[in-house]
Amino acid sequence: SAVLMGICQIVKYSSLSLYPIFLVILVFNYGTRLSMIIRAGEWKILGNHFLVFAKYAVFFSLISLLIINIGFLFHGTFTPLSEYRFRSISWQNIQSRAGVLGQIPIPLPTLYLEGPDDRKWEEETGEHANNYLFGETRNPGYFIGYFFWAWLYKVPLALQLILLLSLIAYLKK
């Protein structure tokens, strides 16, 4: 799950919402048992459950972070927030309000945070930013084959297979 979660983060920024969704699933799955433990006042058992959860959460987060960093080839990993050059006003505001926390190295690649910043900048200005592929950031109009490669990476393999088989069946007729 942690590896797949990391892969999801590389493919689509909106998959960040999967983290809270996992928490909701855990609450629904273990909520009744935890509620009974709390009502019974068995705090030691509750503490043990919390420690197990914390261990899994740390493991899950570390594996996800590793996969995200591998996906972006560790480009700019551990760059402090204060050293970023954000383009959108929203992300610049976040950066300016960070204060001393802005000096702490972030365990994410710079391009991972600059991607949502670029999307926000596009939204604010109506212009289009560059895209990232194969370790390069360029304008898609000047990146030969960009949309082909992006399609191969982003469209699920099962759908690609169905489309290929459909094309083969069509050509056979």
Side-chain angles (χ1 to χ4, degrees):
S1 292
V3 170
L4 291 176
M5 179 68 83
I7 291 170
C8 286
Q9 302 308 306
I10 294 168
V11 173
K12 198 78 170 160
Y13 290 114
S14 61
S15 64
L16 191 61
S17 63
L18 291 174
Y19 289 105
I21 289 171
F22 271 27
L23 287 176
V24 169
I25 290 170
L26 285 173
V27 167
F28 278 110
N29 195 28
Y30 296 106
T32 307
R33 185 183 334 175
L34 291 177
S35 176
M36 290 172 35
I37 291 170
I38 291 170
R39 282 188 224 150
E42 297 177 3
W43 304 111
K44 186 175 181 182
I45 294 173
L46 183 64
N48 289 340
H49 281 301
F50 179 76
L51 286 175
V52 170
F53 170 77
K55 287 177 189 176
Y56 278 111
V58 168
F59 173 77
F60 199 88
S61 299
L62 290 174
I63 295 299
S64 292
L65 276 172
L66 178 64
I67 297 301
I68 292 167
N69 278 288
I70 288 170
F72 284 93
L73 305 174
F74 292 89
H75 179 76
T77 300
F78 295 114
T79 300
L81 188 63
S82 61
E83 293 181 21
Y84 279 78
R85 303 280 184 254
F86 292 122
R87 297 166 66 175
S88 72
I89 294 169
S90 302
W91 281 80
Q92 289 172 3
N93 287 338
I94 292 170
Q95 185 179 34
S96 66
R97 292 180 185 160
V100 73
L101 293 176
Q103 302 304 317
I104 298 172
I106 299 174
L108 290 166
T110 54
L111 292 170
Y112 184 76
L113 289 181
E114 288 173 355
D117 172 54
D118 283 343
R119 300 298 82 77
K120 189 65 177 170
W121 174 78
E122 288 175 353
E123 182 182 302
E124 291 173 355
T125 64
E127 296 183 36
H128 293 285
N130 293 329
N131 289 321
Y132 175 82
L133 184 67
F134 299 130
E136 296 181 39
T137 305
R138 289 197 275 177
N139 184 312
Y142 300 101
F143 200 137
I144 296 172
Y146 172 81
F147 292 105
F148 170 74
W149 291 107
W151 183 82
L152 282 179
Y153 282 118
K154 292 192 175 207
V155 173
L157 293 176
L159 181 57
Q160 290 181 31
L161 181 62
I162 289 170
L163 291 172
L164 178 65
L165 293 174
S166 298
L167 180 63
I168 291 169
Y170 176 77
L171 293 175
K172 275 187 153 184
K173 286 186 178 183

